[in-house]
Amino acid sequence: MGRVAVVGTGLIGGSVGLALGARGYDVAGFDRDEARLARAKELGAITEAAASLDDAVAGAELVIVAVPVGAIANTVVAALDAGAAAVTDVGSVKKSVVAEVERQRPDASARFVGGHPMAGSEQDGVDGADATLFVGATWTLTPTANTDERAYTLVLRIVRELGADVVSVEPEHHDELVAMVSHVPQLAASTLMDVATTNEDDRRTLMRLAAGGFRDMTRIAAGHPAIWPDILTTNREAVLCALYAYVAALSRARDLVAAGERDQLLTLLERARLARRNLPVGASMATDLVELRVPVPDRPGVIAEVTTLAGRLGVNIADFEIAHSAEGGRGVIVLIVAATDAGAFESGLHELGYTSSKTELQ
């Protein structure tokens, strides 16, 4: 296996390092907190504690940036300036990060592929790192029209080696989606916990009465709070949009309770129950796979167009590569997908003007 650099050795960076090390990679770690870096080395999350970011990047086929959201863009730029062949990150906000990297380094930014593993823990720091954290988790990638195909293919391959299922979406769309499924739930859990414990007179009794439902809903309030102000303010626009929708829905529910509308309350609860039961437990690649070959023009944006289509359709890409024509000007994207997803994916490709051929894999 090759060498990968991990910049930032907290919970996620440490988990990435452990997972890579378990798969035979040499992991060079760098962290501005020397004590945290030393602890990561002690725990085996990295195989080398680099003295500088440049030292970590040297010889690495991929640099994974796992620093707080507010520091991601500048750290990515520093890695690109240090000669990184490909860079990705693990931050939960993508639009502003991708835009800032492209603004600072319009040419080199092609080697940056935004990423975000939808995985976490209530544990703090590298001591909570887990080599299996990403197994079965969804890991979003956010390629753009500027993305280098080699960088995207490399990031996709390594992320899948960690056991994650990859979904590709546009950076702005990613932020809208995670605002609803991650950022607002954090605020909802933390706010409910805060409301429930405001009255000191009832606090001890209430906590004794708190059963499974309350504990399930407020579980994520126990997560590390320091990362959240950065995330919530950086993704302010999408978070506010999701909050408006959530608050409006709560207001409608309040009005139904106030009016004693039993039937409408039951309709709301049944609709939510059905939606909750239909949530996927964990994405898994079907046994039957097919290979799709899609001829594409040699132009910027093709990778983003094809892979984000898969993301919108919920198609899990098991493997991806692009072969260029010897004559130049055209290439072929080769994708391995579940046989059950192939029909919808091909239809979407055809609507975008692409042709495709399909081969069943034994």
Side-chain angles (χ1 to χ4, degrees):
M1 290 296 183
R3 171 184 166 99
V4 175
V6 175
V7 182
T9 54
L11 172 68
I12 300 299
S15 297
V16 169
L18 286 172
L20 288 168
R23 288 156 179 81
Y25 284 92
D26 289 328
V27 183
F30 174 70
D31 199 303
R32 296 192 182 279
D33 186 324
E34 293 182 2
R36 185 162 55 212
L37 183 64
R39 181 59 175 160
K41 180 71 163 59
E42 181 183 350
L43 293 171
I46 57 176
T47 53
E48 173 194 335
S52 68
L53 185 145
D54 284 16
D55 288 344
V57 170
E61 60 178 314
L62 176 65
V63 178
I64 300 175
V65 174
V67 300
V69 165
I72 290 175
N74 286 338
T75 305
V76 169
V77 168
L80 292 171
D81 289 348
V87 184
T88 188
D89 75 307
V90 298
S92 67
V93 180
K94 294 273 79 75
K95 178 184 174 183
S96 60
V97 170
V98 171
E100 181 61 16
V101 173
E102 290 183 345
R103 185 191 71 80
Q104 290 194 43
R105 297 294 183 272
D107 294 329
S109 64
R111 307 197 307 272
F112 170 57
V113 183
H116 176 208
M118 301 297 293
S121 168
E122 284 72 59
Q123 302 298 314
D124 288 346
V126 70
D127 283 282
D130 179 358
T132 66
L133 184 63
F134 311 111
V135 175
T138 296
W139 194 307
T140 57
L141 298 179
T142 57
T144 70
N146 189 43
T147 300
D148 178 80
E149 65 193 52
R150 291 163 297 184
Y152 177 83
T153 303
L154 174 64
V155 173
L156 175 67
R157 174 176 63 78
I158 290 181
V159 166
R160 287 199 56 81
E161 286 181 27
L162 302 187
D165 294 298
V166 176
V167 174
S168 293
V169 296
E170 296 89 348
E172 183 174 5
H173 192 205
H174 164 276
D175 289 358
E176 294 168 353
L177 295 173
V178 298
M180 182 60 72
V181 301
S182 176
H183 302 169
V184 167
Q186 178 67 44
L187 282 175
S190 297
T191 303
L192 178 60
M193 195 74 229
D194 193 48
V195 168
T197 56
T198 297
N199 189 334
E200 289 292 336
D201 294 337
D202 292 335
R203 180 172 180 171
R204 294 185 65 180
T205 303
L206 187 148
M207 290 299 99
R208 292 182 65 187
L209 294 176
F214 182 83
R215 291 179 183 274
D216 286 346
M217 187 166 178
T218 58
R219 177 185 58 81
I220 58 175
H224 190 38
I227 67 171
W228 282 101
D230 217 10
I231 292 170
L232 294 168
T233 55
T234 303
N235 199 28
R236 180 187 300 111
E237 185 178 329
V239 169
L240 285 174
C241 185
L243 277 174
Y244 288 142
Y246 183 46
V247 170
L250 283 176
S251 295
R252 289 192 295 272
R254 178 201 58 201
D255 293 344
L256 293 178
V257 172
E261 296 284 357
R262 292 173 177 268
D263 290 344
Q264 292 185 53
L265 283 168
L266 181 59
T267 298
L268 168 63
L269 295 167
E270 287 182 336
R271 186 169 65 241
R273 177 174 183 259
L274 179 61
R276 178 63 179 81
R277 287 194 165 194
N278 285 333
L279 280 179
V281 175
S284 60
M285 185 55 69
T287 302
D288 296 329
L289 301 174
V290 298
E291 177 188 88
L292 294 180
R293 302 180 71 87
V294 184
V296 294
D298 189 3
R299 63 169 173 79
V302 167
I303 291 175
E305 197 168 60
V306 172
T307 58
T308 57
L309 170 66
R312 289 195 300 273
L313 296 176
V315 176
N316 189 9
I317 299 175
D319 201 4
F320 174 97
E321 66 175 304
I322 185 165
H324 290 280
S325 169
E327 291 77 22
R330 293 188 66 80
V332 176
I333 290 180
V334 183
L335 308 105
I336 307 298
V337 302
T340 52
D341 295 334
F345 191 29
E346 285 193 288
S347 295
L349 289 168
H350 298 165
E351 288 179 8
L352 292 176
Y354 296 103
T355 61
S356 61
S357 60
K358 179 172 64 178
T359 304
E360 294 182 3
L361 300 179
Q362 301 300 320

